[in-house]
Amino acid sequence: MSFPVVVLISGSGSNLQALIDQSLQGQLDIDIKAVISNKASAYGLERASQAGIANHALDHKQFESRELFDQALMSLIDQYQPKLVVLAGFMRILTEEFTRHYEGRMLNIHPSLLPKYKGLNTHQRAIDAGESEHGVSVHFVTSELDAGSVVLQASTEINESDTADSLAQKVHALEHIIYPLSVKWFSSGRLKLESGQAMLDGQPLPESGVRYTTDLNEH
């Protein structure tokens, strides 16, 4: 019985595509029940359509408040009864009610080595700060922005020639590796959130989660 998942997007959906590809290849035993975007123009909806996945545009601008939008979004998600909600470039700050409703079963991917560089423009900020490395983090979602317990991180060197765009491309490549792996851990029962702490195989993870190496693909 495949593991039911709902994916939320706002843009191109490249991480969604990585999940679709790995599930089609049999590397990931999940059933993406639906893809939902707050923007009707999001190319990720087309990716879902091409894969035969139910997809919906729920325009946040049609709602008078963040609370009302989140309530409508929860209602739509829950129609599909997912065991995991995957935020894949979903550019909305979520209400406490929403994050509490999905606590322990909602993951996000953020383009920095958390706890560094929460929020936006992470690539340029890392360059401006003179960092030698940058990367990406998968974490559980809590009501505080980009602050939930970290599951998995992957890093890349920052070279003198790197721009925000070139760094973004390197980080995207890492995203497409570690997000499906994190989802695989969760769907297989290895990854859980207990009392706000990410646990893998029953062991608490460090603050920065697991650092990705190619060896992890074997486990």
Side-chain angles (χ1 to χ4, degrees):
M1 190 76 174
S2 279
F3 191 88
V5 171
V6 168
V7 181
L8 306 186
I9 62 168
S10 294
S12 73
S14 65
N15 275 303
L16 165 66
Q17 191 66 56
L19 294 170
I20 292 171
D21 291 346
Q22 289 211 15
S23 59
L24 288 174
Q25 293 160 9
Q27 297 168 277
L28 196 52
D29 187 21
I30 60 171
D31 181 6
I32 302 175
K33 293 289 190 183
V35 173
I36 304 169
S37 176
N38 63 313
K39 295 182 177 179
S41 61
Y43 181 66
L45 294 174
E46 177 64 24
R47 294 181 191 270
S49 183
Q50 289 174 3
I53 298 169
N55 55 93
H56 307 270
L58 191 67
D59 185 354
H60 61 275
K61 295 177 183 173
Q62 302 299 314
F63 294 84
E64 292 183 5
S65 69
R66 193 177 294 277
E67 287 74 20
L68 287 172
F69 172 76
D70 278 12
Q71 286 166 10
L73 182 57
M74 277 192 287
S75 178
L76 182 55
I77 292 169
D78 287 350
Q79 289 177 30
Y80 292 96
Q81 299 181 307
K83 292 184 178 178
L84 178 65
V85 177
V86 175
L87 306 185
F90 188 61
M91 305 302 288
R92 295 280 301 165
I93 294 175
L94 299 163
T95 59
E96 190 168 347
E97 178 189 7
F98 187 95
T99 55
R100 195 166 52 238
H101 184 67
Y102 298 107
E103 186 173 2
R105 56 193 181 108
M106 184 160 55
L107 293 173
N108 183 46
I109 191 156
H110 180 73
S112 80
L113 295 172
L114 291 171
K116 290 183 175 181
Y117 309 116
K118 298 175 184 178
L120 301 174
N121 304 317
T122 59
H123 311 306
Q124 190 62 54
R125 287 161 63 196
I127 291 171
D128 291 346
E131 299 281 5
S132 60
E133 67 170 3
H134 185 50
V136 58
S137 307
V138 176
H139 65 95
F140 281 99
V141 178
T142 62
S143 57
E144 187 181 345
L145 181 67
D146 300 329
S149 190
V150 175
V151 174
L152 185 56
Q153 292 187 329
S155 63
T156 184
E157 287 185 12
I158 299 178
N159 301 318
E160 286 185 14
S161 59
D162 271 323
T163 63
D165 286 343
S166 68
L167 199 51
Q169 289 179 358
K170 292 198 286 188
V171 170
H172 272 143
L174 296 173
E175 290 178 14
H176 302 159
I177 296 169
I178 72 166
Y179 215 2
L181 182 56
S182 301
V183 171
K184 182 179 183 179
W185 287 351
F186 190 93
S187 64
S188 64
R190 296 180 60 193
L191 175 65
K192 292 183 171 66
L193 187 71
E194 296 180 3
S195 303
Q197 170 70 57
M199 309 283 288
L200 184 65
D201 298 331
Q203 299 299 313
L205 293 177
E207 182 187 12
S208 57
V210 178
R211 183 60 71 99
Y212 176 78
T213 65
T214 52
D215 293 345
L216 290 177
N217 292 332
E218 308 304 317
H219 300 291

